[in-house]
PDB file of all heavy atoms in Angstrom:
ATOM      1  N   PRO F   4      17.628  69.016 -40.856  1.00 55.00           N
ATOM      2  CA  PRO F   4      18.420  69.424 -39.715  1.00 55.00           C
ATOM      3  C   PRO F   4      19.649  68.463 -39.697  1.00 55.00           C
ATOM      4  O   PRO F   4      19.561  67.316 -39.923  1.00 55.00           O
ATOM      5  CB  PRO F   4      17.572  69.219 -38.500  1.00 55.00           C
ATOM      6  CG  PRO F   4      16.201  69.002 -38.991  1.00 55.00           C
ATOM      7  CD  PRO F   4      16.252  68.595 -40.445  1.00 55.00           C
ATOM      8  N   LEU F   5      20.794  69.072 -39.407  1.00 52.00           N
ATOM      9  CA  LEU F   5      22.053  68.329 -39.493  1.00 52.00           C
ATOM     10  C   LEU F   5      22.080  67.044 -38.741  1.00 52.00           C
ATOM     11  O   LEU F   5      22.551  66.049 -39.164  1.00 52.00           O
ATOM     12  CB  LEU F   5      23.227  69.245 -39.041  1.00 52.00           C
ATOM     13  CG  LEU F   5      23.401  70.502 -39.824  1.00 52.00           C
ATOM     14  CD1 LEU F   5      24.621  71.289 -39.365  1.00 52.00           C
ATOM     15  CD2 LEU F   5      23.452  70.238 -41.308  1.00 52.00           C
ATOM     16  N   GLU F   6      21.514  67.041 -37.516  1.00 57.00           N
ATOM     17  CA  GLU F   6      21.518  65.858 -36.712  1.00 57.00           C
ATOM     18  C   GLU F   6      20.887  64.650 -37.376  1.00 57.00           C
ATOM     19  O   GLU F   6      21.204  63.535 -37.065  1.00 57.00           O
ATOM     20  CB  GLU F   6      20.748  66.018 -35.348  1.00 57.00           C
ATOM     21  CG  GLU F   6      21.155  67.254 -34.540  1.00 57.00           C
ATOM     22  CD  GLU F   6      20.569  68.501 -35.162  1.00 57.00           C
ATOM     23  OE1 GLU F   6      19.377  68.704 -35.197  1.00 57.00           O
ATOM     24  OE2 GLU F   6      21.471  69.287 -35.635  1.00 57.00           O
ATOM     25  N   LEU F   7      19.992  64.968 -38.321  1.00 64.00           N
ATOM     26  CA  LEU F   7      19.253  63.838 -38.931  1.00 64.00           C
ATOM     27  C   LEU F   7      20.043  63.130 -40.038  1.00 64.00           C
ATOM     28  O   LEU F   7      19.634  62.051 -40.446  1.00 64.00           O
ATOM     29  CB  LEU F   7      17.892  64.354 -39.450  1.00 64.00           C
ATOM     30  CG  LEU F   7      16.897  64.753 -38.382  1.00 64.00           C
ATOM     31  CD1 LEU F   7      15.583  65.095 -38.930  1.00 64.00           C
ATOM     32  CD2 LEU F   7      16.774  63.646 -37.299  1.00 64.00           C
ATOM     33  N   ILE F   8      21.087  63.710 -40.517  1.00 84.00           N
ATOM     34  CA  ILE F   8      21.855  63.039 -41.543  1.00 84.00           C
ATOM     35  C   ILE F   8      22.666  61.964 -40.879  1.00 84.00           C
ATOM     36  O   ILE F   8      23.491  62.220 -39.989  1.00 84.00           O
ATOM     37  CB  ILE F   8      22.795  63.956 -42.305  1.00 84.00           C
ATOM     38  CG1 ILE F   8      21.936  65.027 -43.003  1.00 84.00           C
ATOM     39  CG2 ILE F   8      23.627  63.225 -43.326  1.00 84.00           C
ATOM     40  CD1 ILE F   8      22.798  65.916 -43.813  1.00 84.00           C
ATOM     41  N   LYS F   9      22.439  60.744 -41.315  1.00 94.00           N
ATOM     42  CA  LYS F   9      23.173  59.662 -40.654  1.00 94.00           C
ATOM     43  C   LYS F   9      24.607  59.663 -41.124  1.00 94.00           C
ATOM     44  O   LYS F   9      24.852  59.827 -42.341  1.00 94.00           O
ATOM     45  CB  LYS F   9      22.511  58.331 -41.066  1.00 94.00           C
ATOM     46  CG  LYS F   9      21.136  58.131 -40.559  1.00 94.00           C
ATOM     47  CD  LYS F   9      20.822  56.617 -40.556  1.00 94.00           C
ATOM     48  CE  LYS F   9      19.384  56.378 -40.686  1.00 94.00           C
ATOM     49  NZ  LYS F   9      18.915  56.076 -41.991  1.00 94.00           N
ATOM     50  N   VAL F  10      25.481  59.458 -40.179  1.00 96.00           N
ATOM     51  CA  VAL F  10      26.909  59.453 -40.454  1.00 96.00           C
ATOM     52  C   VAL F  10      27.280  58.428 -41.508  1.00 96.00           C
ATOM     53  O   VAL F  10      28.013  58.652 -42.420  1.00 96.00           O
ATOM     54  CB  VAL F  10      27.719  59.235 -39.162  1.00 96.00           C
ATOM     55  CG1 VAL F  10      29.240  59.131 -39.530  1.00 96.00           C
ATOM     56  CG2 VAL F  10      27.506  60.393 -38.223  1.00 96.00           C
ATOM     57  N   GLU F  11      26.528  57.272 -41.480  1.00 95.00           N
ATOM     58  CA  GLU F  11      26.889  56.223 -42.435  1.00 95.00           C
ATOM     59  C   GLU F  11      26.419  56.580 -43.847  1.00 95.00           C
ATOM     60  O   GLU F  11      26.835  55.943 -44.808  1.00 95.00           O
ATOM     61  CB  GLU F  11      26.294  54.815 -42.070  1.00 95.00           C
ATOM     62  CG  GLU F  11      24.786  54.826 -41.713  1.00 95.00           C
ATOM     63  CD  GLU F  11      24.504  55.116 -40.270  1.00 95.00           C
ATOM     64  OE1 GLU F  11      25.174  55.891 -39.570  1.00 95.00           O
ATOM     65  OE2 GLU F  11      23.489  54.555 -39.803  1.00 95.00           O
ATOM     66  N   ASP F  12      25.666  57.692 -43.997  1.00 96.00           N
ATOM     67  CA  ASP F  12      25.333  58.151 -45.355  1.00 96.00           C
ATOM     68  C   ASP F  12      26.422  59.121 -45.866  1.00 96.00           C
ATOM     69  O   ASP F  12      26.367  59.486 -47.025  1.00 96.00           O
ATOM     70  CB  ASP F  12      24.006  58.884 -45.378  1.00 96.00           C
ATOM     71  CG  ASP F  12      22.823  57.859 -45.161  1.00 96.00           C
ATOM     72  OD1 ASP F  12      23.076  56.651 -45.436  1.00 96.00           O
ATOM     73  OD2 ASP F  12      21.757  58.291 -44.760  1.00 96.00           O
ATOM     74  N   LEU F  13      27.283  59.532 -45.029  1.00 97.00           N
ATOM     75  CA  LEU F  13      28.297  60.510 -45.360  1.00 97.00           C
ATOM     76  C   LEU F  13      29.596  59.876 -45.784  1.00 97.00           C
ATOM     77  O   LEU F  13      30.351  60.443 -46.560  1.00 97.00           O
ATOM     78  CB  LEU F  13      28.543  61.523 -44.271  1.00 97.00           C
ATOM     79  CG  LEU F  13      27.393  62.440 -43.851  1.00 97.00           C
ATOM     80  CD1 LEU F  13      27.716  63.212 -42.652  1.00 97.00           C
ATOM     81  CD2 LEU F  13      26.992  63.319 -44.983  1.00 97.00           C
ATOM     82  N   THR F  14      29.944  58.733 -45.171  1.00 98.00           N
ATOM     83  CA  THR F  14      31.252  58.164 -45.395  1.00 98.00           C
ATOM     84  C   THR F  14      31.249  56.660 -45.112  1.00 98.00           C
ATOM     85  O   THR F  14      30.449  56.204 -44.287  1.00 98.00           O
ATOM     86  CB  THR F  14      32.298  58.835 -44.535  1.00 98.00           C
ATOM     87  OG1 THR F  14      33.567  58.234 -44.814  1.00 98.00           O
ATOM     88  CG2 THR F  14      32.008  58.746 -43.080  1.00 98.00           C
ATOM     89  N   ILE F  15      32.106  55.931 -45.821  1.00 98.00           N
ATOM     90  CA  ILE F  15      32.371  54.537 -45.401  1.00 98.00           C
ATOM     91  C   ILE F  15      33.697  54.415 -44.654  1.00 98.00           C
ATOM     92  O   ILE F  15      34.102  53.344 -44.285  1.00 98.00           O
ATOM     93  CB  ILE F  15      32.273  53.542 -46.582  1.00 98.00           C
ATOM     94  CG1 ILE F  15      33.440  53.815 -47.601  1.00 98.00           C
ATOM     95  CG2 ILE F  15      30.979  53.496 -47.236  1.00 98.00           C
ATOM     96  CD1 ILE F  15      33.747  52.599 -48.475  1.00 98.00           C
TER      97      ILE F  15
END
Side-chain angles (χ1 to χ4, degrees):
L5 301 184
E6 310 73 68
L7 292 185
I8 298 184
K9 292 201 207 99
V10 174
E11 56 269 33
D12 290 338
L13 295 175
T14 180
I15 62 160

